[in-house]
């Protein structure tokens, strides 16, 4: 059975994975982009080049985790907040995601939303499917993954939802040494935090500390 994996989920020292006031002007919330500076700097994030286009930049710990987050993934499951800033019923179907006509996924993506809409086929092999039930969304993503694993994207509430249901098999946090002070916290509303995980990897780069947690008996 495919595993449900969270990768490269950047979190501040005070537990926030996004800043406050998310919207079109601030997709990651005010100040939230700073959580991802470590990832933006890796060659793999830019297709093998550094942020400045340098193809000779050394691939270090952070780059390794970026690449591992794509390995063995056949589908992505995300919340509506990650897909875009539109809230409530869709006014039309003009919003097609943050990523332009050729999103970076290149595989099926299931969007969990209270307001389903027809599937949206994009360039490069990405098709967005909109589902209003968490179990049905995960089942569909697992089917579409074709025997590979499912990557669970944000936002925080979507990850919390599957943590509460004990459906997350692997949780990789990238702890960034900064304080946001407000926004979306990952471990709120979990009754004391997720249980049943074992830390199988703890490693730091100059920019971030990587914590990889695996649920007992579910490591692939």
């Amino acid at each position: 059975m495919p595993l449900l994996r969270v990768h490269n989920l950047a979190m501040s020292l005070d537990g926030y994975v996004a800043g406050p006031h998310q919207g079109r002007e601030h997709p990651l919330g005010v100040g939230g982009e700073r959580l991802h500076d470590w990832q933006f700097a890796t060659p793999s994030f830019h297709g093998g080049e550094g942020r400045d286009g340098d193809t000779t930049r050394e691939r270090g710990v952070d780059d390794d985790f970026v690449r591992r987050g794509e390995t063995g993934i056949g589908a992505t499951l995300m919340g509506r907040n990650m897909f875009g800033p539109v809230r409530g019923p869709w006014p039309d179907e003009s919003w097609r995601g943050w990523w332009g006509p050729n999103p970076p996924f290149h595989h099926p993506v299931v969007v969990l939303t209270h307001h389903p809409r027809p599937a949206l086929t994009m360039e490069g092999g990405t098709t967005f499917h909109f589902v209003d039930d968490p179990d049905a969304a995960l089942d569909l993503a697992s089917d579409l993954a074709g025997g590979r694993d499912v990557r669970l994207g944000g936002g925080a509430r979507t990850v919390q939802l599957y943590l509460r249901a004990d459906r997350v098999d692997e949780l990789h946090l990238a702890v960034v040494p900064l304080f946001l002070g407000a926004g979306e916290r990952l471990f709120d509303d979990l009754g004391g935090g997720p249980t049943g995980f074992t830390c199988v990897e703890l490693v730091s780069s100059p920019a971030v500390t990587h914590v990889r947690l695996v649920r007992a008996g579910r490591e692939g």
Side-chain angles (χ1 to χ4, degrees), residues 31 41 50 53 62 65 80 140 145 171 173 180 200 205 213:
D62 295 338
F65 274 96
R80 182 170 171 178
L140 177 59
L171 177 62
L173 302 175
L180 282 185
V200 296
S205 75
L213 307 168

Side-chain angles (χ1 to χ4, degrees), residues 3 9 18 31 51 56 59 62 81 112 116 120 158 168 177 203 206 211:
L3 300 178
L9 183 56
R51 196 172 195 174
T56 66
R59 295 180 183 272
D62 295 338
N81 285 8
L112 182 61
L120 175 61
T158 300
V168 176
V203 62
V211 185

Side-chain angles (χ1 to χ4, degrees), residues 133-153:
D133 177 80
D135 291 331
L138 180 54
D139 287 345
L140 177 59
S142 297
D143 289 343
L144 294 172
R148 308 181 86 189
D149 291 339
V150 176
R151 178 166 175 169
L152 179 61

Side-chain angles (χ1 to χ4, degrees), residues 155-201:
R157 294 180 184 177
T158 300
V159 177
Q160 290 168 2
L161 178 68
Y162 288 100
L163 284 173
R164 283 197 298 270
D166 293 333
R167 303 298 299 272
V168 176
D169 300 297
E170 182 173 341
L171 177 62
H172 165 224
L173 302 175
V175 182
V176 184
L178 60 81
F179 295 98
L180 282 185
E184 294 286 334
R185 288 174 55 91
L186 179 62
F187 294 127
D188 283 351
D189 304 318
L190 291 177
T195 60
F197 286 96
T198 299
C199 181
V200 296
E201 195 169 3

